[in-house]
Amino acid sequence: MRVTQGAFSFLPDLTETQVRAQIQYCLDQGWAPGIEYTDDPHPRNTYWEMWAQPLFDLKDAAGVMQEIKACREAWPDHYVRINAFDAGHGWETVRLSFIVQRPAREPGFKLSRTVAQGRVLSYRTEAYALDRPEGERHG
Amino acid sequence: MAEAVSDPPPRIDLRREAEAAGVLDVLDQLDRELIGLAPVKRRIRETAALLVVERARQSLGLQAEPPTLHMSFTGNPGTGKTTVALRMAEILHRLGYCRRGHLISVTRDDLVGQYIGHTAPKTKDVIKKAMGGVLFIDEAYYLYRPENERDYGQEAIEILLQVMENARDDLVVILAGYGDRMARFFESNPGFRSRIGLHVDFPDYGDDELLRIAEIMLDRMSFRFAPAAREAFAEYVALRRSQPHFANARSVRNALDRMRLRLAHRLYESGLEVGTEDLTTLVETDVRASRVFSGGLPAAN
């Protein structure tokens, strides 16, 4: 099941040129792109691992593309996303976030129902990938 | 076959090409705003011509190996290296050899770290910031300190060399510094010499050129010399040159700043009402009060 998080996730995967253009847009707006990766695709898994530091004060997307490449090489079976942070007054938040790499196999989520006392139903969503230990989930 | 013969070979007007890219504007601006520096201007014009021709070759589908654009600017302090580097970034940008055309100016401190493992990320950070533009490394020879074999500068040098080779589309590196020390630096780091396509030597300014520079600077600040002050300043330049720490245009600027100070002090102390004339005119005494006329800086400097 394809994970749909962040912008453009319902579209086909962005090509390198498209990723570069999006990043250039972020830089032109004065946002600082940061690279993050994870292998736990759960929608509530908000804070992914940071790859190096956010890239402040860049003018050209080439530097970011270089870091993305390094991150992909280090984590070929992980999700990798770009967060563009706007430090402007009143915003101070992520303005654009999109996935730039996803694992080849995305096994999706299990929904389990537990019947508790009084026939109350509680639901639990869990990624199948989590059955395996960290680092081996999408290999 | 018949078609190929009847088709006239395409022609390109190089001048129009350069004009369309806005290169002529930048070159004219360079001519107008920078006094003297004839050999530098010639080199910049030659380089611009080369780049325009390369572009024309490319558009005709000829083999167009992008020229090596890394440069070294050598010359004494205050001869306009940084200013010319800024213009160079502009030219490269307009011709499409440089995507953003910004200039990141750094020295050893910005590239070399203070402890093991600090240098590489620091240098790479700077390089990432300079991508799409020009990385200007001032006093580049400080990167190399042969007297300390554990100096981290070597690490920065290696990263730079690698980037200059592999990321030639992303970044242009300009190394700058005093002529003799740069020559020694290149001798001990042959990798740099071979990766740099353009060596530009900045000559010292002549006395009359410095005087003209002073007048342009004053004009920009809405000041001017009284005729006697102008003569005094011409003397000042000749004297200042023979004294230590002479830094061409930078010395002139500092001298002008001190003269403005004296002007302000003189007007304030006089207690009289002042008009535009008084506020904008530097008189002879403002110039003559400089210690350059009384034997110059103490020998300790």
Side-chain angles (χ1 to χ4, degrees), chain B residues 127-154:
Chain B
I127 288 171
K128 267 180 267 174
K129 277 175 199 164
M131 276 192 168
V134 172
L135 177 62
F136 182 80
I137 305 177
D138 209 0
E139 307 201 81
Y141 33 77
Y142 284 131
L143 287 176
Y144 178 68
R145 293 224 168 123
E147 68 274 12
N148 179 0
E149 63 182 42
R150 277 184 293 177
D151 183 60
Y152 301 136
Q154 195 58 40

Side-chain angles (χ1 to χ4, degrees), chain B residues 233-284:
Chain B
F233 193 74
E235 265 177 66
Y236 172 92
V237 169
L239 280 172
R240 179 68 185 83
R241 182 183 294 280
S242 59
Q243 289 172 9
H245 303 295
F246 175 66
N248 287 289
R250 198 171 304 144
S251 291
V252 167
R253 194 180 58 205
N254 293 343
L256 293 180
D257 283 346
R258 286 190 296 272
M259 285 167 202
R260 282 167 59 194
L261 201 72
R262 283 182 216 120
L263 168 93
H265 186 69
R266 173 169 58 80
L267 291 179
Y268 186 76
E269 290 295 306
S270 72
L272 302 171
E273 282 186 4
V274 293
T276 322
E277 180 74 12
D278 305 308
L279 288 172
T280 56
T281 311
L282 291 167
V283 302
E284 191 179 358

Side-chain angles (χ1 to χ4, degrees), chain A residues 3 20 25 43 64-65 79 82-83 89 98 104 118-119 136:
Chain A
V3 167
R20 184 185 274 257
Y25 174 79
V64 185
M65 295 308 286
Y79 291 91
I82 307 292
N83 285 339
H89 182 74
F98 58 100
R119 303 187 66 182
E136 301 167 15

Side-chain angles (χ1 to χ4, degrees), chain B residues 34-82:
Chain B
L34 293 183
I35 302 291
L37 293 180
V40 175
K41 286 175 186 166
R42 198 165 53 238
R43 286 312 286 272
I44 304 290
R45 273 185 188 280
E46 282 168 6
T47 312
L50 171 75
L51 297 180
V52 170
V53 170
E54 281 298 318
R55 236 166 65 130
R57 285 174 60 99
Q58 209 170 5
S59 65
L60 290 185
L62 291 169
Q63 176 67 32
E65 181 76 3
T68 309
L69 291 171
H70 305 308
M71 301 172 211
S72 90
F73 287 1
T74 53
N76 288 329
T79 44
K81 296 186 288 290
T82 315

Side-chain angles (χ1 to χ4, degrees), chain A residues 33-84:
Chain A
I35 301 169
E36 294 182 338
Y37 63 94
T38 190
D39 60 357
D40 176 1
H42 195 284
R44 293 292 175 91
N45 176 22
T46 314
Y47 302 111
W48 295 14
E49 309 288 337
M50 278 173 70
W51 175 262
Q53 285 167 17
L55 299 153
F56 293 103
D57 304 328
L58 263 59
K59 284 275 194 307
D60 190 79
V64 185
M65 295 308 286
Q66 191 183 308
E67 285 297 325
I68 292 176
K69 184 163 167 270
C71 182
R72 282 171 172 161
E73 274 164 16
W75 305 105
D77 296 316
H78 280 52
Y79 291 91
V80 176
R81 75 178 173 195
I82 307 292
N83 285 339

